[in-house]
Amino acid sequence: MKSRSDMRKGIEMRWKLLVMVLCCWSLGVTSVNADEGMWLFNDLPVKQLKQKYGFEPDQAWAEKLMRSCVRFNSGGSASFVSSNGLVLTNHHVGAETLHKLSTPERNVYEDGFLARTTAEELKAPDLELNQLLSIEDVTDAVNAGITADLTAEEALTKRRANIAAIEQKSLDETGLRSDVVTLFGGGKYHLYRYKKYTDVRLVFSPEASIAFFGGDADNFEYPRYCLDACIFRVYENDQPAKTPDFLKWSDNGPAAGELVFVAGNPGRTSRIFTTDALRYQRDHRMPFMLDFLRRREIMLQQFGLAGPEQARRAKDDLFGVQNSRKAYLGMLGGLQDPAVMADKVSRENQLKAAIDRDPKLQGAAAAYSTIAEIQRQRTSALRTSISMNSQVFGLAHTMVQMVVEDQKPSGSRLPPYRDSARASLELGLYSDAPLYPDLEQAILADLLGRLCEIRGGDDPLCQEVLNGLSPVERAREVIAGTSLFDPQKRRELVAAGTDAVRNSSDPLIQLAWILDPQLRKQTEMTEAWSEQERQAYAKIADALFAVHGDSTYPDATFTLRLAFGTVKGYEEDGREVPAFSTIGGAFEHEANHKGEEYFELPESWTKNRDKLDPQTPFNFVATPDIIGGNSGSPVVNKNLELVGLIFDGNIQSLVADFMYTDKQGRCTSVHSSALRETLRHFYDASGLADSLGK
Amino acid sequence: MKSRSDMRKGIEMRWKLLVMVLCCWSLGVTSVNADEGMWLFNDLPVKQLKQKYGFEPDQAWAEKLMRSCVRFNSGGSASFVSSNGLVLTNHHVGAETLHKLSTPERNVYEDGFLARTTAEELKAPDLELNQLLSIEDVTDAVNAGITADLTAEEALTKRRANIAAIEQKSLDETGLRSDVVTLFGGGKYHLYRYKKYTDVRLVFSPEASIAFFGGDADNFEYPRYCLDACIFRVYENDQPAKTPDFLKWSDNGPAAGELVFVAGNPGRTSRIFTTDALRYQRDHRMPFMLDFLRRREIMLQQFGLAGPEQARRAKDDLFGVQNSRKAYLGMLGGLQDPAVMADKVSRENQLKAAIDRDPKLQGAAAAYSTIAEIQRQRTSALRTSISMNSQVFGLAHTMVQMVVEDQKPSGSRLPPYRDSARASLELGLYSDAPLYPDLEQAILADLLGRLCEIRGGDDPLCQEVLNGLSPVERAREVIAGTSLFDPQKRRELVAAGTDAVRNSSDPLIQLAWILDPQLRKQTEMTEAWSEQERQAYAKIADALFAVHGDSTYPDATFTLRLAFGTVKGYEEDGREVPAFSTIGGAFEHEANHKGEEYFELPESWTKNRDKLDPQTPFNFVATPDIIGGNSGSPVVNKNLELVGLIFDGNIQSLVADFMYTDKQGRCTSVHSSALRETLRHFYDASGLADSLGK
């Protein structure tokens, strides 16, 4: 699934990306079919499970599973798989950390890593893991004081202040990370309390060549042959943490047709979107995003051509961008299918007819017009909006925004600058993870060039930004002159106070000041649209509840959800695609793509090949309803044994942002046996293999 | 320089690309500095050469050089290098033919080729070479009957008819290909008569790995190490043609600082462009083109990931697209430099002031407004214009347009459908060069998806094109159903007549009929704008003549020009870049990029390395004023000995479309010794080496 490029740049970047790039976390609900659904842990689909599968999970089952799950704050899912802190996730979820732990001499990302003792485990520079401990409905408290006579903006301010107060109070009382989550587009607000782990160490990662075997060519395809897994361990007080809630390891993995569950953090879905909103996505936003992604992809490829070290530096970003590009293309392809849109139109017309018949639902009718109008505004703003997706510029801009936002009460600030988020913000801002000036310069040059394209070379902002130089020369000047690559210098400048940041002679800080008004305006516009959409979708959600009943699930919010389904192949181009692939199949696949990049198995596999039964299952597909952010989610059976590890969805599942389909759409997992057996036989790591699930 | 992707798809595609993609062959003149200029062979810069270099070429010198030059109609330059028909050009100019001569079993493009006897020479399926024999000023005849009371459209129609009549008359009288060329934006019209060679056979090509050593990374950079050369032979009556006009081979190549000449066919420059036109290029057209190129680049990369045969099929297109992308980026980077634009603005303001002072030049003042207005129209049309750059669709669309155009008198037809162009048109239309359905399907799917993005998924044309299917499914249906991959079927359908084409059940023909009105409208709009611009630039050219005198050169028109300059290195990032690279340097460069794609020298080089002095010069840079289309041009000394073979310009030269600069801008050539000595010592082809220049 690999939605890293959407959600991977540390918390301050993540939030920015969410606002600027995704810009549509306003969420909702739809009617439910088949194995559809990303269900809340405090409102599980008990009825559906009993009805369809004769299985009735109880509270203890749900609680155990919830506490066994771990969220990678950098954008992914995971689970505890031992009582002493072992955490299992995907290689591609850990990739950012693997890169940060790599040096020209020790390429952890490419070559893999195994700690034979806890002393050898490598501490991640800035990783934050969250374990969800409780969910509380705080809808009334969030809406307190919000009366019908408030404008949308006043309501937003008030609601934001209420949320900040709730989060701060919870943090003060419990010491736990406390996030208010907006569900059903504002129909409900839940308070999620997390235990945070910030001392996280790498235990095992396989070679990139087997984690991402088949590369971009195989990405989102099936059959797959990927050991897309890595293992961390959380620490407390410099000791392996005690984690009594963990998943046991299944001896044999899942059977074909078996009921399985996926517990993880789907990042974002948009299933409540009106057809106007879908048209905006199809005809405007997705083509715009794809142009941006392709541009960044080529830029990173070009950067990597200069030599192997440059290629290494660009690789993580490049994979993320390629992955997003392929994902967007799958989504766009789905939306461009006239049959898909016709289905959405037909369902919307049915709901609109029901709304027309019910005087109590008239608010929903107006909501459609509001959303249509916002799409028009988004469309007209889209082509002149700029983005500055550079890591080092993001740091500078965070500092510039922070000194402004910090002069406001916490509840009135932009979300990442609230007191409750400060620890996470600083974790990213002062991280000593490597930043590469040459790569950042190439990215900045491209972004400045793009700014000139978007606004026109004669635009005053463009002229001010360039300061008489070409984009390439200006980027060279700024990167050569900034001291912000040094985390200590960032810390010192912030510590020196508001005026110091305001009057800094650092060219990157100065550039951030020049661009901040425009970036802030974009953020504020997007916030306002999102708030209006939230309110409109809440009304449509009410209508859906009224028509379809309330046994349903909200759109994804990068919070813990439960999905269910069965292990099952599918048909494609007239051929039957089997549910399981095998270890032996990986060797055949290599032979069929002899000599191609990304199709070379690592030496650990080729030299130990004979030690493992080629029929050992490797990957499998199943029907649970997942999306980006679910990467690293455990797949469990009814007994809460881990049978697999989600790492992808096939290309037919990518339309899941807008609708669930199990005709061909499948999630893709590493089989539990594949990880345990390759640890034993290919990686000489029987100790680690034996400790899984114990 | 490799502008193949602009000008490579056979004549019918080439014309379309020129109209749809380049859309700005309206041409002009500017004031001249340094070694600037792409001079007409009937108006050589005799004064400048005498003044600066003390060299005075006479008529015989010019005529000999002119007749020694050869134009590749597919988009490139070349020269005769023996009395028995040997033609020297670049590997990348010949690449299209090398691909067409390749099969899965015999990869001429990748592995190289050497004919040891004339019997072994490989006949190119559809290559047309042109040798320029004469130039005649026909300005008066073209303008005959065009009076001030005609509208622009009436003038265009009349001028087109005059041109068609002149061309036809010349063809009838001489049997020579006869093209009327518009110079100085319509200030002058010259009739170019060419001898055509259509039996062209491959004699020698090196391996792609040394022809394009360093790949995309080194492209447009320097120092370079490329044997970007290949050798064909023209035939008449199945015998090697007698070519008394050919270039001798220089024994030692050029000395540093030596005066050299480049004779070739620069494709297009836009030096007369007003600042409004440059802003349109900078802020609209180039970003739009770059988005398109990056999209095609990623699409072709993705196609190639499926396997080695797919990669081979996509490779030629991919190189062309990458090359164009890098070239456009260089041009755009130049235009985005505030200093460059300020210089253009300042020069324009000077000219405008002179115009204001001279009542006779008032027409030029209005011309600026006309051009500004056309840029506004171009801008608003740009984002809704579609393009269908697929080879097989191009064939279908040619057939559809041909049966419509053929009902008009020749002079009223769109240019590629005139009688005088029929032979070239049919050469492309009925070519049996391989077309790959899988590649064409992937390209068509992408183009249909792009059409939906550009016009919106609900657009009626989009709906009609998709016919209820997604872009991918529709492309699959059309490509599976068409018979047009078979040249015989194309010939039969055209032979069956207008109604047969009109009522054809071939889904690709049907698709072409659906899209033709829109494509035709775009062509007609572009034609109209170009005609208005032509007239406006002609007035500005008059003003320039009046102010600067008429000793100048017109913008490039893919016709034969002479450039001059000296062999000379330059300074970059504070380092001195030397003028010459060496054969030994290539081996060092390989070692520095060990294991990287495109940096592996072929076996012919590595195993014979010791047979050649490593100090043998390989590539060199010089100051002559060239641009895409000059690829394959001979570089000659005062004695008309071939000292080099143009194959590229450095990235600093790419702004040459809009202005000449010799501060860092250089053209890049293969040294004459490199080709002769590697033929002798690496390719065991002493016979061929000895026959060069004889």
Side-chain angles (χ1 to χ4, degrees):
Chain A
M1 191 66 34
K2 305 191 190 60
S3 68
R4 294 166 306 147
S5 72
D6 292 341
M7 300 181 292
R8 53 183 293 286
K9 294 288 174 195
I11 193 65
E12 87 294 349
M13 284 305 290
R14 184 164 67 80
W15 181 81
K16 247 176 249 169
L17 284 166
L18 290 178
V19 171
M20 299 194 313
V21 177
L22 297 177
C23 72
C24 49
W25 276 49
S26 52
L27 308 158
V29 69
T30 183
S31 64
V32 171
N33 304 311
D35 294 337
E36 178 174 350
M38 302 169 176
W39 300 87
L40 294 169
F41 263 76
N42 56 344
D43 189 15
L44 291 182
V46 179
K47 210 167 59 187
Q48 288 90 328
L49 283 169
K50 192 177 173 189
Q51 210 168 345
K52 188 161 181 192
Y53 294 106
F55 175 68
E56 207 167 353
D58 61 15
Q59 189 57 33
W61 187 94
E63 185 113 341
K64 179 79 178 173
L65 181 54
M66 180 179 93
R67 288 171 173 257
S68 300
C69 289
V70 176
R71 184 174 71 175
F72 268 61
N73 223 353
S74 53
S77 300
S79 57
F80 289 125
V81 291
S82 82
S83 61
N84 59 352
L86 287 182
V87 172
L88 174 67
T89 188
N90 294 138
H91 185 272
H92 80 263
V93 170
E96 192 180 343
T97 297
L98 302 179
H99 280 292
K100 288 176 181 175
L101 292 171
S102 294
T103 60
E105 294 74 39
R106 180 191 66 192
N107 196 328
V108 169
Y109 175 84
E110 287 292 345
D111 304 334
F113 176 80
L114 175 66
R116 299 223 161 258
T117 65
T118 50
E120 288 180 13
E121 294 173 8
L122 298 178
K123 186 167 175 174
D126 57 2
L127 205 50
E128 176 182 321
L129 305 193
N130 298 151
Q131 176 194 27
L132 180 59
L133 295 185
S134 74
I135 306 176
E136 185 185 333
D137 190 325
V138 292
T139 308
D140 292 343
V142 168
N143 288 328
I146 297 178
T147 50
D149 58 330
L150 296 188
T151 65
E153 199 184 334
E154 289 166 343
L156 171 61
T157 305
K158 178 70 184 157
R159 192 174 290 117
R160 203 183 263 174
N162 286 345
I163 288 172
I166 294 165
E167 289 176 346
Q168 190 62 50
K169 179 161 173 279
S170 171
L171 176 64
D172 293 344
E173 286 175 3
T174 64
L176 296 172
R177 175 179 172 138
S178 300
D179 297 348
V180 170
V181 179
T182 304
L183 301 167
F184 297 107
K188 289 182 182 172
Y189 294 90
H190 289 177
L191 175 62
Y192 279 57
R193 290 197 185 90
Y194 298 96
K195 176 161 183 161
K196 285 200 301 192
Y197 292 92
T198 53
D199 185 349
V200 186
R201 306 188 191 177
L202 180 63
V203 177
F204 167 75
S205 66
E207 305 86 345
S209 56
I210 186 59
F212 195 44
F213 189 61
D216 193 30
D218 276 10
N219 196 12
F220 299 120
E221 311 289 341
Y222 200 76
R224 288 287 282 281
Y225 311 90
C226 292
L227 193 66
D228 192 353
C230 65
I231 299 174
F232 291 91
R233 191 192 303 275
V234 291
Y235 277 68
E236 288 183 304
N237 305 318
D238 216 25
Q239 294 297 318
K242 293 198 188 332
T243 46
D245 292 305
F246 65 91
L247 299 172
K248 298 216 170 349
W249 206 266
S250 162
D251 274 341
N252 301 313
E258 182 174 340
L259 173 65
V260 292
F261 302 88
V262 176
N265 302 278
R268 172 188 59 114
T269 55
S270 312
R271 295 190 183 168
I272 201 172
F273 270 20
T274 67
T275 54
D276 288 313
L278 291 177
R279 285 188 191 100
Y280 165 70
Q281 295 291 321
R282 180 192 64 186
D283 297 339
H284 301 287
R285 184 173 157 274
M286 286 196 184
F288 181 81
M289 283 302 303
L290 278 163
D291 279 341
F292 181 78
L293 289 167
R294 283 185 285 240
R295 177 187 189 116
R296 181 61 63 94
E297 182 170 353
I298 299 277
M299 189 247 110
L300 292 169
Q301 285 180 351
Q302 290 289 304
F303 180 81
L305 290 178
E309 171 59 12
Q310 285 88 345
R312 187 190 70 79
R313 292 177 178 196
K315 196 159 196 174
D316 187 36
D317 275 354
L318 183 58
F319 278 178
V321 168
Q322 288 177 325
N323 179 71
S324 296
R325 183 252 307 147
K326 208 162 175 179
Y328 271 104
L329 215 54
M331 282 192 278
L332 180 57
L335 288 180
Q336 285 181 334
D337 184 339
V340 166
M341 191 56 90
D343 180 55
K344 277 278 184 186
V345 168
S346 148
R347 287 208 238 174
E348 181 167 294
N349 286 342
Q350 284 172 33
L351 184 60
K352 280 179 169 170
I355 289 169
D356 283 346
R357 285 192 300 271
D358 186 342
K360 288 198 302 295
L361 299 178
Q362 289 319 300
Y368 282 101
S369 313
T370 302
I371 291 164
E373 171 56 25
I374 294 170
Q375 307 317 304
R376 279 188 287 275
Q377 294 176 22
R378 284 190 186 277
T379 302
S380 91
L382 184 66
R383 296 225 169 254
T384 56
S385 73
I386 61 173
S387 53
M388 291 298 296
N389 305 54
S390 133
Q391 288 203 63
V392 76
F393 179 86
L395 294 170
H397 191 224
T398 296
M399 293 161 73
V400 160
Q401 285 207 322
M402 190 161 78
V403 299
V404 174
E405 293 297 302
D406 278 0
Q407 294 169 358
K408 306 173 188 170
S410 177
S412 305
R413 296 177 202 155
L414 294 170
Y417 300 101
R418 290 182 204 152
D419 291 342
S420 56
R422 186 52 48 114
S424 298
L425 182 74
E426 294 189 346
L427 190 66
L429 187 54
Y430 304 135
S431 165
D432 58 1
L435 283 170
Y436 303 110
D438 55 351
L439 177 58
E440 292 293 322
Q441 180 179 317
I443 289 173
L444 185 61
D446 185 59
L447 288 172
L448 296 181
R450 184 167 179 265
L451 185 146
C452 294
E453 294 174 28
I454 284 174
R455 301 185 63 100
D458 296 337
D459 173 75
L461 179 64
C462 172
Q463 295 279 324
E464 195 182 353
V465 161
L466 291 183
N467 198 25
L469 298 175
S470 73
V472 169
E473 289 166 341
R474 176 68 167 141
R476 189 184 296 142
E477 179 184 76
V478 169
I479 296 296
T482 186
S483 65
L484 300 189
F485 284 97
D486 179 350
Q488 187 54 33
K489 289 285 191 331
R490 299 197 290 271
R491 202 181 277 275
E492 284 167 14
L493 183 54
V494 169
T498 303
D499 285 351
V501 176
R502 235 180 232 298
N503 303 320
S504 169
S505 62
D506 189 290
L508 197 57
I509 293 283
Q510 291 180 341
L511 187 64
W513 281 115
I514 294 171
L515 287 168
D516 181 57
Q518 172 64 23
L519 292 172
R520 183 174 283 273
K521 189 178 131 198
Q522 290 175 197
T523 303
E524 286 167 358
M525 280 200 312
T526 306
E527 284 269 305
W529 289 326
S530 297
E531 176 59 21
Q532 291 171 52
E533 284 176 335
R534 234 188 308 274
Q535 296 181 15
Y537 280 122
K539 286 179 187 139
I540 293 173
D542 286 345
L544 270 167
F545 282 130
V547 174
H548 295 288
D550 69 350
S551 179
T552 186
Y553 66 95
D555 265 320
T557 48
F558 196 47
T559 51
L560 195 67
R561 302 294 181 86
L562 185 74
F564 63 88
T566 57
V567 176
K568 199 171 159 186
Y570 56 100
E571 198 184 291
E572 187 177 31
D573 282 342
R575 296 189 321 271
E576 198 60 39
V577 180
F580 295 90
S581 70
T582 64
I583 298 282
F587 288 97
E588 284 168 34
H589 199 50
E590 181 191 39
N592 292 337
H593 287 264
K594 200 172 162 52
E596 291 173 46
E597 214 187 345
Y598 302 119
F599 285 94
E600 196 180 341
L601 290 168
E603 199 192 340
S604 59
W605 281 54
T606 49
K607 80 170 183 210
N608 296 309
R609 175 173 184 171
D610 294 341
K611 296 183 182 163
L612 195 49
D613 180 354
Q615 289 305 313
T616 307
F618 194 172
N619 292 167
F620 66 89
V621 286
T623 63
D625 188 1
I626 66 152
I627 202 150
N630 267 116
S631 284
S633 299
V635 186
V636 300
N637 60 22
K638 285 185 284 191
N639 304 323
L640 295 185
E641 294 167 334
L642 189 140
V643 297
L645 170 67
I646 292 285
F647 72 95
D648 209 350
N650 65 1
I651 198 128
Q652 293 90 345
S653 78
L654 293 180
V655 76
D657 198 352
F658 307 108
M659 61 183 59
Y660 172 82
T661 162
D662 64 2
K663 191 180 157 203
Q664 297 179 302
R666 293 293 183 275
C667 60
T668 317
S669 303
V670 180
H671 193 282
S672 55
S673 299
L675 179 56
R676 199 182 47 189
E677 298 309 311
T678 56
L679 278 173
R680 277 187 184 136
H681 300 293
F682 290 175
Y683 294 103
D684 188 22
S686 293
L688 179 59
D690 292 343
S691 68
L692 293 173
K694 281 175 193 156
Chain B
M1 190 68 34
K2 306 192 189 58
S3 69
R4 296 165 305 145
S5 71
D6 293 339
M7 301 182 291
R8 54 184 291 288
K9 295 288 176 195
I11 193 66
E12 87 293 351
M13 286 302 291
R14 186 164 67 80
W15 182 81
K16 248 177 247 167
L17 283 165
L18 289 178
V19 171
M20 301 195 313
V21 177
L22 297 178
C23 72
C24 48
W25 275 49
S26 52
L27 309 160
V29 68
T30 183
S31 64
V32 169
N33 304 310
D35 293 337
E36 178 175 350
M38 301 169 175
W39 301 88
L40 295 169
F41 263 76
N42 56 343
D43 188 15
L44 291 183
V46 179
K47 209 166 61 184
Q48 288 90 329
L49 283 169
K50 191 175 174 190
Q51 210 169 339
K52 188 162 181 189
Y53 294 105
F55 174 68
E56 207 167 353
D58 60 16
Q59 189 58 33
W61 187 94
E63 185 113 341
K64 178 78 177 173
L65 181 54
M66 179 180 94
R67 287 171 174 258
S68 300
C69 289
V70 176
R71 183 172 74 174
F72 268 60
N73 224 352
S74 53
S77 300
S79 56
F80 288 124
V81 291
S82 81
S83 60
N84 59 351
L86 288 182
V87 173
L88 174 67
T89 187
N90 294 138
H91 185 272
H92 80 263
V93 169
E96 191 180 344
T97 297
L98 301 180
H99 279 290
K100 288 176 181 173
L101 292 172
S102 294
T103 61
E105 294 74 39
R106 181 191 66 189
N107 196 328
V108 169
Y109 174 83
E110 287 292 345
D111 304 334
F113 177 79
L114 174 66
R116 300 224 162 258
T117 63
T118 51
E120 286 180 15
E121 294 174 5
L122 298 177
K123 184 166 177 177
D126 56 3
L127 205 50
E128 177 182 320
L129 304 193
N130 297 151
Q131 178 194 26
L132 180 59
L133 295 185
S134 73
I135 306 175
E136 184 184 335
D137 191 325
V138 292
T139 309
D140 292 344
V142 168
N143 287 329
I146 296 178
T147 50
D149 58 329
L150 296 188
T151 66
E153 201 184 333
E154 288 166 343
L156 172 62
T157 306
K158 178 69 183 155
R159 191 173 291 117
R160 204 183 261 173
N162 287 346
I163 288 172
I166 294 165
E167 290 175 347
Q168 190 63 50
K169 179 159 174 281
S170 170
L171 175 65
D172 293 344
E173 287 175 3
T174 65
L176 297 172
R177 176 180 172 137
S178 301
D179 298 347
V180 170
V181 180
T182 304
L183 301 168
F184 297 107
K188 291 182 181 170
Y189 294 90
H190 290 178
L191 175 61
Y192 280 57
R193 289 197 184 90
Y194 297 97
K195 175 159 183 162
K196 285 200 302 191
Y197 292 93
T198 53
D199 185 350
V200 185
R201 307 190 189 176
L202 179 64
V203 178
F204 167 74
S205 66
E207 305 86 344
S209 56
I210 187 60
F212 195 44
F213 189 61
D216 193 29
D218 277 9
N219 196 11
F220 299 120
E221 310 291 341
Y222 200 75
R224 290 284 284 279
Y225 310 89
C226 292
L227 193 68
D228 192 352
C230 65
I231 299 173
F232 291 91
R233 191 193 304 275
V234 291
Y235 277 69
E236 288 183 304
N237 305 319
D238 217 26
Q239 293 297 318
K242 294 201 188 327
T243 46
D245 291 304
F246 65 92
L247 299 172
K248 298 215 169 347
W249 206 265
S250 161
D251 274 341
N252 302 311
E258 182 175 341
L259 172 65
V260 292
F261 301 88
V262 175
N265 302 277
R268 172 189 58 112
T269 54
S270 311
R271 296 190 183 169
I272 201 171
F273 270 20
T274 67
T275 55
D276 289 314
L278 291 177
R279 285 189 191 98
Y280 166 70
Q281 295 291 321
R282 180 192 65 185
D283 297 339
H284 301 287
R285 185 173 157 271
M286 287 196 182
F288 181 81
M289 282 303 302
L290 277 162
D291 280 341
F292 181 79
L293 288 168
R294 284 185 284 239
R295 177 188 189 116
R296 180 63 64 93
E297 181 170 353
I298 299 278
M299 189 248 110
L300 292 170
Q301 284 180 351
Q302 291 289 303
F303 179 82
L305 289 179
E309 171 59 12
Q310 285 88 345
R312 187 189 70 78
R313 292 177 178 196
K315 197 159 194 173
D316 187 36
D317 275 353
L318 184 57
F319 278 178
V321 168
Q322 288 178 324
N323 179 71
S324 296
R325 183 252 307 147
K326 208 161 176 180
Y328 271 104
L329 215 54
M331 282 193 278
L332 180 58
L335 288 180
Q336 284 181 336
D337 185 339
V340 166
M341 190 57 87
D343 179 56
K344 276 280 185 185
V345 168
S346 149
R347 288 208 237 175
E348 181 167 293
N349 286 341
Q350 284 172 34
L351 184 61
K352 280 179 169 173
I355 290 169
D356 282 346
R357 285 192 301 271
D358 185 344
K360 289 196 302 295
L361 300 178
Q362 289 320 298
Y368 282 102
S369 314
T370 302
I371 290 164
E373 171 56 25
I374 293 170
Q375 307 317 303
R376 280 189 285 276
Q377 294 176 21
R378 284 190 186 277
T379 302
S380 92
L382 184 66
R383 297 225 167 254
T384 56
S385 74
I386 61 174
S387 55
M388 293 298 294
N389 305 55
S390 133
Q391 289 204 62
V392 75
F393 179 86
L395 294 171
H397 191 223
T398 296
M399 292 161 74
V400 159
Q401 285 206 322
M402 190 161 78
V403 298
V404 174
E405 293 297 302
D406 278 359
Q407 293 167 0
K408 305 174 189 170
S410 177
S412 305
R413 295 177 202 156
L414 293 170
Y417 301 100
R418 292 182 202 152
D419 291 342
S420 56
R422 185 52 48 112
S424 297
L425 182 76
E426 293 188 346
L427 190 66
L429 186 55
Y430 304 135
S431 165
D432 58 0
L435 282 171
Y436 303 109
D438 55 352
L439 177 58
E440 291 293 324
Q441 180 178 317
I443 289 173
L444 186 61
D446 185 59
L447 288 172
L448 296 181
R450 183 165 179 267
L451 185 146
C452 294
E453 294 174 28
I454 284 175
R455 301 185 63 100
D458 296 337
D459 172 75
L461 179 63
C462 171
Q463 295 279 324
E464 194 182 355
V465 161
L466 291 183
N467 199 23
L469 298 174
S470 73
V472 169
E473 289 166 341
R474 176 66 167 142
R476 188 183 296 141
E477 180 184 78
V478 169
I479 296 296
T482 186
S483 66
L484 300 190
F485 285 96
D486 179 351
Q488 187 54 32
K489 289 286 190 331
R490 298 197 291 271
R491 203 181 276 277
E492 284 167 16
L493 183 54
V494 169
T498 302
D499 284 349
V501 176
R502 234 180 232 298
N503 303 320
S504 169
S505 62
D506 189 292
L508 197 57
I509 292 283
Q510 290 180 341
L511 187 63
W513 281 115
I514 293 171
L515 287 167
D516 181 56
Q518 172 64 23
L519 293 172
R520 183 176 282 272
K521 190 178 130 197
Q522 291 175 195
T523 302
E524 285 166 358
M525 280 201 310
T526 306
E527 284 267 306
W529 288 325
S530 297
E531 175 60 20
Q532 291 171 54
E533 284 177 334
R534 234 188 309 274
Q535 295 181 15
Y537 280 121
K539 286 179 186 138
I540 294 174
D542 286 344
L544 271 168
F545 283 132
V547 175
H548 296 288
D550 68 349
S551 179
T552 188
Y553 65 96
D555 265 320
T557 47
F558 196 47
T559 51
L560 194 67
R561 302 294 180 89
L562 185 75
F564 63 88
T566 58
V567 176
K568 198 170 159 187
Y570 56 102
E571 198 184 290
E572 188 176 31
D573 282 343
R575 295 190 322 271
E576 199 59 39
V577 181
F580 294 91
S581 70
T582 64
I583 297 283
F587 288 97
E588 284 169 34
H589 200 50
E590 181 191 39
N592 292 338
H593 287 264
K594 199 170 162 54
E596 291 173 45
E597 213 186 345
Y598 302 119
F599 285 94
E600 199 180 339
L601 290 168
E603 200 191 339
S604 59
W605 281 53
T606 49
K607 81 172 182 211
N608 296 308
R609 177 174 182 169
D610 294 340
K611 294 183 184 163
L612 194 49
D613 180 354
Q615 290 305 314
T616 306
F618 194 172
N619 292 168
F620 66 88
V621 285
T623 62
D625 188 2
I626 67 152
I627 202 150
N630 267 117
S631 284
S633 299
V635 187
V636 300
N637 60 22
K638 286 185 282 190
N639 304 323
L640 296 185
E641 294 167 334
L642 188 140
V643 297
L645 170 65
I646 293 286
F647 70 96
D648 208 351
N650 64 0
I651 197 125
Q652 292 91 344
S653 77
L654 293 180
V655 75
D657 198 351
F658 307 108
M659 62 184 60
Y660 171 83
T661 161
D662 63 2
K663 190 180 156 204
Q664 297 181 300
R666 293 291 182 277
C667 61
T668 317
S669 303
V670 180
H671 193 282
S672 55
S673 298
L675 180 57
R676 199 180 48 188
E677 297 310 309
T678 57
L679 279 172
R680 278 187 183 136
H681 300 292
F682 290 175
Y683 294 102
D684 188 22
S686 292
L688 179 58
D690 292 342
S691 69
L692 293 173
K694 284 174 192 157

